Amino acid sequence: NGDIINEAELDASVCDCCQTSITNTDKGPIVVYRDRSEEEVRDIYVTRKLDNVWEAPVTVNNDGWIIYGCPVNGPKAISNSNHIAVSWFTASEGKPTVNLSFSESYGASFGEPIKIDDSDAIGRVDVAFLNPKEVIVSYMEGDGFDTYLRIKKVSIDREVSRPITISKIDGGRNTGVPQLEIYNNEIFIVWTISDGEMNQLKTVKFSST
């Protein structure tokens, strides 16, 4: 009936317009989001529910990105057994970047970020496990002329593939956040396009093998 039957405050100050992400493991759920400090540092934080108790949030990485307004550009988390992958956008020190970090301990700690983008990162990321050792990351970046939706394959051993361009894409916010899913060994990517006054969804499907 839409009734809230269990509610817990995870963080009293978060970046309001950035989407949050949640993934479930065999030890409990993990929530990843963009936090907001009193100094307007807006880095990515993670909190886990273990033994029915939510842990105190900690950073995925100390980017130190200070921005006096919500970037509307949240993270994405995905799990496979004890492996957790988190991808996110940051513009720390004025350098727009798409990062990916792995945890091999159910999110207790994360490795050094892996840089995903090759040019002018825009972000709006998604990520999915291809297999227990590799993920596929979708992200947006520009080249000074156009904006592209691209994907890369990244391994837990920090090997990063060459990019595959899915499509040119509008860099404005009307594009929304492209969505990536893997189902029955097929990769689905969906995003929004504007046709006059109408918004439509565009979909690409291809094999993950």
Side-chain angles (χ1 to χ4, degrees), residues 139 141 147-151 162-168:
Y139 60 100
E141 65 180 359
T147 304
Y148 300 92
L149 174 60
R150 289 178 169 145
I151 61 172
R162 295 177 61 86
I164 296 175
T165 298
I166 301 301
S167 176
K168 284 186 180 180

Side-chain angles (χ1 to χ4, degrees), residues 10-11 13-23 30-36 43-47 54 70 72-78 85-88 125-127 177-179 181:
L10 305 183
D11 195 316
S13 180
V14 301
C15 209
D16 300 76
C17 299
C18 285
Q19 73 275 18
T20 59
S21 185
I22 185 169
T23 186
I30 297 174
V31 175
V32 179
Y33 60 98
R34 190 178 298 282
D35 206 356
R36 176 186 178 188
D43 288 346
I44 305 302
Y45 274 63
V46 57
T47 180
W54 286 101
C70 184
V72 195
N73 212 330
K76 188 60 184 283
I78 194 70
V86 175
S87 187
W88 73 97
V125 300
D126 205 345
V127 61
V177 179
Q179 300 294 297
E181 295 291 343

Side-chain angles (χ1 to χ4, degrees), residues 108-122:
S109 62
F110 285 84
E112 284 295 313
I114 302 167
K115 186 175 181 293
I116 301 300
D117 61 284
D118 296 306
S119 51
D120 297 327
I122 295 174

Side-chain angles (χ1 to χ4, degrees), residues 76 78 126-131 134-137 151-153 179-189 205-209:
K76 188 60 184 283
I78 194 70
D126 205 345
V127 61
F129 269 97
L130 282 167
N131 55 60
E134 295 177 314
V135 298
I136 185 170
V137 184
I151 61 172
K152 282 185 177 181
K153 182 170 66 174
Q179 300 294 297
L180 165 69
E181 295 291 343
I182 298 177
Y183 180 72
N184 286 343
N185 294 321
E186 289 186 313
I187 299 170
F188 295 82
I189 301 178
K205 179 183 74 171
F206 53 97
S207 173
S208 64
T209 58

